[in-house]
Amino acid sequence: MTAGAIAAAVAARKLSAVEATEAVLARIAVRDGVLNAFTDVTAERARAKARAVDADIAAGKPAGPLAGVPFAVKNLFDVEGLPTRAGSKINRDRAPATRDATLIARMEAAGAVLVGALNMGEYAYDFTGENIHDGPSRNPHDPTRMSGGSSGGSGSAVGGGLVPIALGSDTNGSIRVPSSFCGIFGLKPTYGRLSRARSFPFVMSLDHLGPFARSVEDLALAYDVMQGADSEDAACTTRGPEPVSALLSQGVDGLRIALAGGHFQKNLFPEAAEAVARVAAALKVTDVVDVPEASRARAAAYVISTTEGASLHLDRLRTRPGDFDPAVRDRLIAGAMIPAPMVDRAQKFRRWYRARVLELFKSVDVLIAPATPCIAPKLGQATFVLDGVELPVRANIGIHTQPISFIGLPVVAVPIPLEPMPIGVQIIAAPWCEHVALRVAHALQQLGVAAAPAPRGVLENGSRSA
């Protein structure tokens, strides 16, 4: 069932929140042995919350828009009673969180039921979904393939049908990459739109939090209830909530939509080009707009990410270097050695690039771009060939997402159900125009072009499919 269908049934007392929760807990118990999406299952907390939802409805209190809807969160969100591990070994020594993250509190205020915390790449510095401490989260369509990262458990849990909604984070593409590989919808909102309070950071000037779902309607439901100012996150907007669910059916009439050219039409496997072509054909889009210096934007994003990340982890690098994933540790050490003038130049370029891209939105409302250059690679795959050049997989999965998150634009990743594996396309809008990107995503869903396929990599009995 979709989140919307669960909430409607619970509100009408055709289904209890307890029944919805028990069904999800049973599904996790059966399927997660293959997917490895969860690091913590908060079963007793979930049951208590579900009972409270049912009691409120029985007492005649209004049901929330997510009444009885199970959800899970990337394990960099603070969950009361759990250490916030952020995919690391080191953080397991932290004291348990004393409060939930703001977005968890807002989801539960709307009636949703938290069922657990999800696997992720260490300290969110990852595009693969592979974690050396907890094992890799696996792709729900082929468990021998990557889920994508760093919100890999979130993508695997929703793509695998364990929960209808999950929350993740996106610094350089960590919502959009798992969405693409796992064949689901994901929303990276405008920078500052959703509170990051009580979540473990990676790069504070680039970090976003947002939802995953199997439909645009569910994505919008979660996004709507999480909006609002929060003084505990200095970057969070003071704009009031701007709900989008009622706007989805407005369609694309009157919207100026173009393909992102230049950088975004290079470094593609045939499946990525095919996915973009299907979206363009469905929307009747022929215009191409070049995004200036997008390749330089990606390079600058790397500089800012690795230096801010190194600064955050410097004490841990000095005192516990052996407890890091070596691939993460070595990139952070390299970041600590980047000269200050290079960082200064990256930040200056960032301001210039943001101004140039915002100019584009005076003539277009939406840009279409690939989300990933390929379908999910095999677990452990180290390299692939892009435009005739052999490149590291881990570093280059985000080649098309980094130039967008670098300047905080809102993006909806939509799944295109190709064979043998799905792949995503980015629907990119101007700042604070999430409703526009979601309208386009909804139109593609209505046309049957974008859809979350049923998980083919795990059977109902929890075994892998052949």
Side-chain angles (χ1 to χ4, degrees), residues 28 104 141 293 344:
I28 293 168
I104 294 176
H141 306 289
E293 300 285 8
D344 180 61

Side-chain angles (χ1 to χ4, degrees), residues 290-378:
D290 190 39
V291 179
E293 300 285 8
S295 296
R296 282 184 68 195
R298 180 170 177 252
Y302 261 120
V303 170
I304 292 169
S305 295
T306 194
T307 53
E308 280 197 39
S311 176
L312 175 67
H313 293 288
L314 197 56
D315 289 342
R316 282 177 282 271
L317 290 167
R318 287 170 172 159
T319 59
R320 298 183 64 173
D323 289 334
F324 280 86
D325 177 340
V328 173
R329 178 195 61 211
D330 293 350
R331 282 178 289 159
L332 292 172
I333 290 172
M337 296 187 290
I338 290 178
M342 186 177 290
V343 182
D344 180 61
R345 289 186 177 192
Q347 293 288 11
K348 287 177 178 175
F349 171 77
R350 185 183 187 180
R351 290 189 291 273
W352 177 89
Y353 176 69
R354 176 179 169 82
R356 299 290 79 75
V357 173
L358 292 184
E359 283 287 321
L360 299 178
F361 285 105
K362 293 180 179 179
S363 57
V364 300
D365 299 302
V366 169
L367 292 171
I368 306 295
T372 53
C374 58
I375 60 170
K378 291 287 187 177

Side-chain angles (χ1 to χ4, degrees), residues 6 54 58 93 102 175 233 263 265 284 290 301 358 378 463:
I6 292 170
D54 287 335
D93 295 340
T102 292
I175 287 175
D233 177 3
H263 171 89
Q265 295 187 336
K284 299 180 173 57
D290 190 39
L358 292 184
K378 291 287 187 177
S463 62

Side-chain angles (χ1 to χ4, degrees), residues 125-188:
Y125 205 172
D126 167 64
F127 280 134
T128 68
E130 297 174 320
N131 184 293
I132 68 165
H133 312 296
D134 296 308
S137 49
R138 296 178 180 273
N139 195 292
H141 306 289
D142 178 352
T144 69
R145 294 181 182 270
M146 297 174 183
S147 61
S150 61
S151 308
S154 303
S156 186
V158 174
L162 303 186
V163 288
I165 293 172
L167 305 186
S169 70
D170 190 309
T171 302
N172 286 300
S174 290
I175 287 175
R176 291 159 290 159
V177 168
S179 295
S180 180
F181 286 175
C182 294
I184 57 177
F185 294 88
L187 170 62
K188 184 199 79 64

